[in-house]
Amino acid sequence: MNAWRLAWLNVSRRALPSAIAVVAIAWAAAAGGVMLKLHTLSQSRFATLAAEGQSVVGAKSGGMDLLLGSLNLEGDLPAFIPYNLFRSIRSAEKIGFENGTFSHIPPVRAVVPFLRFGSVGPFAAVGTDERFLRRPDHSDSPRLEAGRWFHADAPELVAGAEAARRLRLAPGAAVTLDIANPTGEPNVRRAEFSVTGILAPTGKIWDFALFACLRQGQRQLAEFDLESVSIWQNQVLHYFLIYHESAVFPRLQSLINQRTVAQIVSVPEEIAKLHELTGLGRRFGLGFAALILFMAGACVAAMTIARFDAMSVHMAILRALGYSKAEIAGSLFLEGLLLGGLACLIGGLGDFLFFPRIREWVGLDFHGYAVRLPLLSGAVWLMILAAIACAVAIPVVKLCRQDVDQSLKGM
Amino acid sequence: MKVRIENLRVRIPPDDRTLFFLPKLRVASREKVLIQGASGMGKTTLLHCLAGLRPPQEGRALADGRDLYRLDERGRDRFRRDELAVIFQKLNLLPHLSSLENVMLMRSGGRFVGRERAREVLAAVRMTHRASVLAARLSQGEQQRVAVARALAGTPRLILADEPTSSLDDDNATVVVEALLAAAREATLIVVSHDRRLRERFSRCIRFEEAATS
């Protein structure tokens, strides 16, 4: 009976202990893989975050939500802010309030509006204007690689590089957008847009988005009954980026935060806070992931050692029948490989099925370039198999020192 | 296979006392020898010495002139694999394997025993009907017959049997002994047993306490 057959019989005929071992190892593989991927994902957000503009304005919420929602297109759709606020700030007008008072808007260099009004699969459709392409500093302006910018009055859009690649879009192509109902009701409208241009890759979140004229986005929203979510009807947007001199920020902050429904946050400050938070989180996450991996490896090793340790008489019998130590060690290794392989297969399947939901649940379902997630799971599986190989080494050492005569006599 | 023992001394822990000292034993090729003696004198240990499983403290155990304990470990593995068959006192079947699979653990001529050959030897000990039953579910007597079948499955030149009929009724004891003797037609057979029924079937019977001292 060759080593494979012997290993298979040892696994299959001890069904309950084998099943417990496989489930435990599979759990360890899945948990280790998920933890490592979540940890890596949480770090990868900095790769795509578009650190642009000096400030970002959105509906009142946490600063971090504003930052990640606007510059990494993360999370659910936020509440609207009035278009008039954007227009007033862009044109440095006076703002008049209901009590008859006025505030003067400090001068700013540029304002870029964003309205997330739909999507194609995972790619968001964002309404904006020509300022998106022509930033005051130029250095961070996206560039058209093919085609032209959209016309304000036509249902046209420009696709980010990665969205265009994955959706196979080229200038002239037609694309159907799902227009999300901002009231939260489940009805979704569809709208045909034509692609007029493709952006050059930026390495940022813009590569994963589709850009149309802000007015087109507002027109699409007007098809819904917006009364419950907007007192401004469709004259709304979600965010706008402001480019300004740093001395202007306190005045903008005082005006927007205290006298409007919106909130302004400083992009560099929020990014610094995010780094600080995830810096702590990174150390904690890495430690936690390492702990889970270590526990997974230790659990696998302990289980395998206990299993093989109970086989000393079995090994003595095989030795007495003329099986060499190498043959028995090979059979033990194959048995470990069978258990580990089966467990990795089940753990991998669990990881594959549940990771997208877990990722969404913990709020890490943003786009990313840098992370090769399946490779991380592969690394965990390799580690599990390595732990099993190490665990086999211990009974093999015992096998080498075994007194076959005593083992056969049951002493 | 000729077997020769010279001045074999085995000591046992904890006080390192001599279990037995066997100055001389010669078994000719194809000879059938029965060793009898009181319990605890070291008969099982003697068989383990002859199987290359228990190095003695002194003396030599030779098989066809080869000192088993001068062979390296691989050499002893090859000896057990290719030339030897052992029926252990505790039977030592693998409990999670069936009767057939236990027999198929053996090798013959360098190759694993096939299903057909395994069925053949199980038939010789009247165990065909229990071929697919796990060893753990067999009675003691059935396990003994499977252990005998396993030893007979290869083409051994030396068969060592430790109490091969201890759990068997007269009928089955006869079957097992016949099978052993038939298999040992071309082999040397050394049997350790208390069973008086076996005396008449062996050409030579050795009283262990007379041959060895403690």
Side-chain angles (χ1 to χ4, degrees):
Chain A
M1 188 172 294
N2 63 31
W4 266 113
R5 176 108 179 111
L6 204 54
W8 170 246
L9 288 174
N10 281 343
V11 169
S12 61
R13 293 286 166 77
R14 293 170 176 152
L16 185 64
S18 297
I20 292 170
V22 165
V23 168
I25 299 169
W27 184 259
V34 166
M35 284 302 301
L36 198 61
K37 286 196 286 190
L38 288 181
H39 168 70
T40 311
L41 263 178
S42 72
Q43 298 313 306
S44 73
R45 116 182 323 148
F46 290 105
T48 51
L49 184 71
E52 294 163 13
Q54 272 77 46
S55 304
V56 60
V57 177
K60 280 189 164 52
S61 61
M64 216 71 83
D65 286 346
L66 264 178
L67 178 79
L68 294 174
S70 58
L71 294 178
N72 215 29
L73 299 180
E74 285 186 39
D76 297 330
L77 287 180
F80 292 123
I81 54 173
Y83 177 77
N84 277 346
L85 176 64
F86 158 74
R87 198 187 58 196
S88 299
I89 288 177
R90 185 171 62 176
S91 55
E93 291 171 347
K94 286 193 299 190
I95 302 182
F97 296 97
E98 280 175 354
N99 60 4
T101 59
F102 289 91
S103 275
H104 287 278
I105 308 284
V108 297
R109 294 162 65 204
V111 188
V112 183
F114 292 119
L115 171 69
R116 284 164 64 183
F117 67 96
S119 61
V120 183
F123 304 106
V126 178
T128 184
D129 66 11
E130 73 283 356
R131 279 287 177 183
F132 179 72
L133 275 187
R134 287 193 291 278
R135 317 283 175 80
D137 298 332
H138 297 294
S139 58
D140 61 354
S141 292
R143 191 171 50 77
L144 273 172
E145 190 170 66
R148 61 170 174 80
W149 196 236
F150 47 74
H151 285 311
D153 293 321
E156 294 176 343
L157 56 80
V158 165
E162 195 60 19
R165 190 182 69 79
R166 295 197 197 170
L167 296 171
R168 295 182 183 161
L169 300 178
V175 62
T176 305
L177 295 186
D178 293 330
I179 311 297
N181 188 338
T183 63
E185 286 171 21
N187 58 322
V188 171
R189 285 185 52 251
R190 295 232 154 90
E192 284 283 326
F193 275 67
S194 64
V195 179
T196 59
I198 309 293
L199 291 178
T202 60
K204 299 295 177 191
I205 194 64
W206 312 133
D207 293 350
F208 297 88
L210 307 161
F211 299 94
C213 176
L214 176 64
R215 206 178 305 160
Q216 284 297 324
Q218 289 172 332
R219 255 181 220 160
Q220 296 300 330
L221 291 184
E223 302 290 326
F224 296 104
D225 178 12
L226 296 177
E227 206 164 298
S228 62
V229 288
S230 164
I231 56 170
W232 313 285
Q233 291 302 316
N234 68 333
Q235 292 303 297
V236 289
L237 35 80
H238 285 122
Y239 306 102
F240 53 89
L241 278 179
I242 310 179
Y243 290 78
H244 56 71
E245 303 306 331
S246 51
V248 171
F249 183 73
R251 288 173 62 197
L252 283 172
Q253 194 176 28
S254 160
L255 170 70
I256 295 172
N257 288 5
Q258 289 171 23
R259 306 203 66 177
T260 75
V261 295
Q263 180 185 2
I264 183 169
V265 294
S266 157
V267 170
E269 274 178 29
E270 290 304 319
I271 289 178
K273 277 186 205 166
L274 187 64
H275 269 292
E276 207 172 289
L277 254 180
T278 52
L280 178 68
R282 181 169 55 223
R283 286 188 288 279
F284 179 72
L286 187 64
F288 196 59
L291 188 69
I292 291 271
L293 286 178
F294 174 75
M295 281 169 63
C299 149
V300 168
M303 198 169 291
T304 321
I305 289 168
R307 182 185 177 90
F308 293 144
D309 220 24
M311 289 168 61
S312 61
V313 175
H314 173 129
M315 291 191 271
I317 292 170
L318 293 176
R319 294 281 292 130
L321 297 182
Y323 284 71
S324 67
K325 287 174 182 170
E327 283 176 308
I328 298 170
S331 163
L332 290 180
F333 182 75
L334 289 174
E335 189 174 333
L337 206 64
L338 270 174
L339 289 172
L342 199 61
C344 283
L345 208 67
I346 295 170
L349 191 67
D351 182 351
F352 175 75
L353 290 177
F354 295 112
F355 180 70
R357 283 175 202 175
I358 296 171
R359 180 179 173 171
E360 195 182 333
W361 180 57
V362 299
L364 290 174
D365 52 337
F366 49 79
H367 296 290
Y369 272 122
V371 192
R372 300 262 184 270
L373 294 176
L375 285 184
L376 292 176
S377 294
V380 172
W381 302 339
L382 278 180
M383 196 213 66
I384 297 269
L385 292 178
I388 289 174
C390 292
V392 170
I394 293 171
V396 167
V397 169
K398 286 191 170 181
L399 170 73
C400 292
R401 295 177 179 172
Q402 187 176 33
D403 184 337
V404 178
D405 169 58
Q406 296 294 300
S407 296
L408 290 175
K409 286 175 179 169
M411 291 174 170
Chain B
M1 176 178 286
K2 281 188 285 188
V3 174
R4 206 168 83 218
I5 279 175
E6 292 172 357
N7 300 320
L8 200 73
R9 184 186 299 277
V10 173
R11 296 181 201 275
I12 51 170
D15 52 358
D16 225 21
R17 76 175 173 85
T18 297
L19 176 66
F20 68 84
F21 173 68
L22 184 59
K24 188 176 166 187
L25 174 70
R26 283 168 193 259
V27 181
S29 184
R30 298 181 192 170
E31 192 179 2
K32 320 306 178 214
V33 175
L34 176 68
I35 300 176
Q36 294 198 305
S39 295
M41 292 201 66
K43 301 188 296 299
T44 296
T45 304
L46 171 65
L47 286 196
H48 284 194
C49 287
L50 288 172
L53 297 169
R54 170 65 152 101
Q57 276 69 29
E58 289 173 27
R60 302 198 299 166
L62 299 103
D64 270 349
R66 289 166 297 170
D67 184 342
L68 292 178
Y69 296 95
R70 289 233 167 159
L71 294 175
D72 61 9
E73 194 154 24
R74 284 182 187 180
R76 283 197 295 275
D77 286 341
R78 270 197 300 274
F79 165 70
R80 282 194 295 272
R81 186 186 69 197
D82 299 332
E83 301 179 74
L84 179 71
V86 189
I87 300 160
F88 297 99
Q89 188 174 25
K90 293 203 165 190
L91 308 177
N92 290 324
L93 300 179
L94 294 186
H96 60 287
L97 302 190
S98 69
S99 307
L100 192 76
E101 288 157 352
N102 264 290
V103 175
M104 288 167 71
L105 287 172
M106 296 301 288
R107 276 178 275 214
S108 173
R111 303 179 65 173
F112 289 105
V113 167
R115 204 165 281 270
E116 284 311 305
R117 172 66 182 153
R119 285 190 182 283
E120 217 173 273
V121 287
L122 282 172
V125 294
R126 294 186 187 167
M127 280 296 289
T128 315
H129 65 297
R130 303 286 275 165
S132 57
V133 177
L134 296 187
R137 297 196 181 145
L138 297 174
S139 69
Q140 185 71 15
E142 288 173 328
Q143 284 187 32
Q144 193 142 30
R145 280 143 71 191
V146 174
V148 171
R150 182 175 69 184
L152 304 183
T155 45
R157 297 179 58 225
L158 171 64
I159 301 172
L160 303 174
D162 196 354
E163 303 287 1
T165 57
S166 60
S167 306
L168 301 178
D169 56 34
D170 284 350
D171 271 1
N172 281 315
T174 307
V175 168
V176 162
V177 172
E178 289 302 334
L180 261 179
L181 290 171
R185 210 167 288 142
E186 300 299 318
T188 306
L189 174 65
I190 301 176
V191 175
V192 163
S193 178
H194 290 103
D195 195 340
R196 291 167 191 276
R197 294 172 294 187
L198 301 186
R199 275 190 193 165
E200 62 204 37
R201 311 302 301 270
F202 285 81
S203 53
R204 186 170 154 211
C205 181
I206 298 170
R207 293 294 305 170
F208 192 68
E209 51 268 53
E210 289 167 10
T213 57
S214 56

